[in-house]
Amino acid sequence: MVDGGRDPRVAGLSAAVSRLRDELDAYPAQLRDRRAAEDELAALDARIAAGGPTCEELRHSLLQILAAVGSVSALSEPLSGLRNAIELFGEPSGYRRLN
């Protein structure tokens, strides 16, 4: 923790959420699930402000957002940034990656 105890992972996550929100707002085409992505980003932002979501909540939010706008290539960079920020929080208990 730095800067008065603020976890830098939380700051990075907040920045990633903001960037994706901005990119989604600027994306001109109509998207069928835009509202679902916006709602999930707002919920994720609220969880961050409330003290930080759990790993499970983060992964659930990421899946919801990817399901809504993951096929939009113009958003791939900010989506990757969000995924990378979430991965910094580690894997939830009992989670095993299949390789």
Side-chain angles (χ1 to χ4, degrees):
M1 299 220 188
V2 294
D3 296 329
R6 179 136 192 223
D7 186 339
R9 298 175 306 167
V10 174
L13 179 58
S14 183
V17 169
S18 291
R19 179 172 179 222
L20 181 54
R21 279 178 122 171
D22 292 345
E23 294 285 336
L24 184 57
D25 286 345
Y27 189 71
Q30 287 198 349
L31 299 171
R32 181 176 169 169
D33 293 328
R34 178 187 296 263
R35 184 66 177 180
E38 292 170 340
D39 289 347
E40 193 60 40
L41 286 167
L44 183 54
D45 216 13
R47 283 190 217 107
I48 293 167
T54 66
C55 229
E56 190 173 311
E57 290 173 324
L58 291 172
R59 290 183 187 277
H60 176 77
S61 289
L62 180 60
L63 287 173
Q64 294 296 316
I65 293 164
L66 286 172
V69 295
S71 65
V72 180
S73 62
L75 299 175
S76 65
E77 196 172 310
L79 282 166
S80 290
L82 179 62
R83 181 183 50 84
N84 292 337
I86 287 172
E87 285 181 352
L88 293 176
F89 286 83
E91 296 177 350
S93 173
Y95 178 81
R96 196 177 107 204
R97 212 178 279 231
L98 299 176
N99 289 335

